[in-house]
Amino acid sequence: MKLKFGTVEENVVTREEFPLEKAREVLKDEVIAVLGYGVQGPGQALNLKDNGFNVIVGQRKGSKTWDKAVADGWVPGETLFELEEACEKGTILQFLLSDAGQIALWPTVKKHLTPGKALYFSHGFGVTYKEKTGIIPPADIDVILVAPKGSGTSLRRMFVEGRGLNSSYAIYQDGTGKAKDRVVALGIGVGSGYLFETDFYREVTSDLTGERGTLMGAIQGIFAAQYEVLRANGHTPSEAFNETVEELTQSLMPLVAENGMDWMYANCSTTAQRGALDWWKPFRDATKPVFEELYNSVKTGQEAQKSIDSNSKEDYRVKLEAELKELRDSEMWQAGAVVRQLRPENN
C-alpha cells in the first residue's frame, strides 16, 4: 500500500496485506540458510524457525557462535552446518556475516549461487561498495534485502513479546521474477512489524549515517559533553548521569516512542517545555555541519573504506575490546552501572 509520511508518499507492506500464512506459502519449497550467527543471525534464524519456515544455520565449527547456535537448539548435521555446506543446501542464502566476513567468504558463497537461488542481505554495504568488496552477484539469481531497524537482539526480544520491529526492504536484482514475493515473505518471516521500500544505496548511506550519528556516535558524544559540563560545575556523578542519560532512556524516550516529541514536551513541566523549545534549534544549528561532514564521508565511500580496513585486521577484536573498555571504564558509564543496579526492578 502507499502511505504518506508527512507530504511524501511511500510504499509500505503491512502484516494485514501480506499475512504470515501467505509468507509461508511463498517460501514453502525454500531452504533458508542463515550464514553467520553473530549480530543479526540468531534473531532472524530463530524468528523464521518459530514462524514455521525451513531454516538451517551456517557457521564455523568450533567457534563461540557455533556453540551459541547449539545452545539455541540448532542441531549439528540436521539444522546446523559448516558455512560451505549450508551454502550448498540453501535456496535462499541469508548473508548475515559482518561486512569484513562477507568479503572473506564471498568466493565460497558465489560458487554455490546457482541459477534461481536468492542472495539476501540485511545491509546494503557489500553490493553498494562492490568495487571495494568484490561482491558482484551472478545475473541469474535474486539479490534482496531486509534490514530490521534495530539490533538482532531487539528483533528477537520484540518477537518473543509478540511485537514487531519495522524493517526496510529492497530488490537489487530480480533474476527469477519472484524477488518481490520472496523479499516481502522473508521480511514478514523474520518478525517485521511492517516493511518500507528502499534501495541498497539508500539503505547503506542512511544506516552508516544513523549509526555514526544520533543512534550511536552522536548520542554518546552529546551524553559525554553534558556529563562533563555538569561534573566540572560541581554536580555529583549520580546527579550528572541521571540528568544526562537515565531520565532520557527511562522516562522521556518511551514517551517519544509512544506519540512523538511534541507529546513528550506536552507531558513535561512548563519550565522544561520552555527550555526545550528555546534550545533545540541552537543544538540543530551547531550539529548540522557535523552531520553534513559525516554524510559526505559516507557518500564518498570513506566510511566504507575505514570499516573494511579496520575490521579486516587480525587484531580488530582486541582493539575493539580496548575501545569498548574505555567507554565502560569512564566515570559516566561506571556511574550508570550503579544507577542501573538501583532501579526498582533490579532489587
Side-chain angles (χ1 to χ4, degrees):
M1 69 171 65
K2 289 186 179 295
L3 289 177
K4 274 194 173 182
F5 291 79
T7 60
V8 178
E9 196 170 68
E10 299 185 37
N11 290 321
V12 171
V13 180
T14 66
R15 291 175 177 178
E16 287 72 29
E17 64 179 300
F18 206 107
L20 185 57
E21 294 74 17
K22 183 176 179 179
R24 291 194 190 109
E25 178 64 24
V26 168
L27 301 178
K28 65 181 180 181
D29 298 323
E30 306 277 11
V31 177
I32 304 166
V34 176
L35 308 178
Y37 208 73
V39 177
Q40 280 289 335
Q44 294 200 32
L46 290 167
N47 290 0
L48 284 163
K49 183 176 77 168
D50 288 351
N51 270 334
F53 297 91
N54 184 12
V55 187
I56 62 174
V57 171
Q59 186 54 50
R60 295 179 186 86
K61 193 171 185 178
S63 65
K64 290 181 180 179
T65 42
W66 175 279
D67 295 339
K68 174 175 170 50
V70 171
D72 284 347
W74 303 99
V75 181
E78 295 181 16
T79 55
L80 177 61
F81 302 92
E82 289 274 10
L83 283 159
E84 182 158 9
E85 189 173 358
C87 290
E88 184 178 1
K89 290 179 179 293
T91 59
I92 297 173
L93 305 187
Q94 293 199 188
F95 208 8
L96 300 183
L97 279 78
S98 68
D99 295 322
Q102 289 183 10
I103 295 170
L105 193 67
W106 175 243
T108 300
V109 172
K110 186 177 181 180
K111 182 169 60 174
H112 294 286
L113 287 172
T114 50
K117 286 194 175 187
L119 179 62
Y120 166 112
F121 294 88
S122 282
H123 190 26
F125 190 101
V127 170
T128 299
Y129 300 113
K130 54 184 180 292
E131 295 84 3
K132 302 177 186 296
T133 65
I135 297 177
I136 303 174
D140 50 8
I141 67 164
D142 295 338
V143 182
I144 54 182
L145 173 147
V146 174
K149 297 299 108 180
S151 71
T153 301
S154 299
L155 182 72
R156 181 60 179 168
R157 283 179 181 173
M158 292 176 77
F159 177 86
V160 170
E161 293 168 359
R163 301 162 63 202
L165 191 65
N166 57 300
S167 304
S168 59
Y169 76 94
I171 300 169
Y172 181 81
Q173 181 174 287
D174 186 359
T176 69
K178 302 186 297 182
K180 177 67 180 294
D181 278 351
R182 273 173 149 176
V183 72
V184 173
L186 287 161
I188 297 299
V190 301
S192 303
Y194 70 90
L195 296 153
F196 63 93
E197 188 177 28
T198 187
D199 60 42
F200 275 59
Y201 174 79
R202 286 190 291 129
E203 190 285 326
V204 74
T205 49
S206 60
D207 191 62
L208 292 180
T209 301
E211 290 166 349
R212 287 149 180 76
T214 58
L215 301 179
M216 296 172 69
I219 197 166
Q220 165 61 20
I222 289 171
F223 283 165
Q226 178 168 303
Y227 182 89
E228 289 168 11
V229 168
L230 289 172
R231 289 290 288 123
N233 283 277
H235 298 274
T236 64
S238 63
E239 185 170 58
F241 186 85
N242 272 287
E243 294 295 344
T244 300
V245 180
E246 189 75 353
E247 185 174 349
L248 176 69
T249 59
Q250 298 302 298
S251 173
L252 301 181
M253 289 313 293
L255 297 179
V256 177
E258 280 180 30
N259 214 15
M261 187 68 74
D262 63 310
W263 193 74
M264 184 267 276
Y265 282 9
N267 282 275
C268 292
S269 71
T270 54
T271 302
Q273 290 167 3
R274 184 70 267 142
L277 290 167
D278 286 346
W279 277 93
W280 79 262
K281 289 180 182 177
F283 277 111
R284 176 200 61 192
D285 295 343
T287 58
K288 191 173 180 181
V290 181
F291 282 102
E292 289 170 339
E293 179 184 355
L294 164 59
Y295 192 82
N296 186 63
S297 185
V298 170
K299 186 170 64 173
T300 58
Q302 293 179 62
E303 292 302 308
Q305 193 62 57
K306 287 180 191 175
S307 293
I308 292 169
D309 292 344
S310 173
N311 300 351
S312 298
K313 292 178 180 176
E314 290 186 3
D315 62 350
Y316 167 70
R317 290 288 172 189
V318 175
K319 289 183 176 178
L320 172 66
E321 178 51 36
E323 290 179 290
L324 295 177
K325 186 175 186 298
E326 179 186 356
L327 279 178
R328 187 166 56 247
D329 290 350
S330 68
E331 184 191 84
M332 181 172 73
W333 290 110
Q334 287 292 303
V338 178
V339 170
R340 288 192 297 277
Q341 290 172 7
L342 293 172
R343 291 175 188 163
E345 66 267 24
N346 294 329
N347 288 286

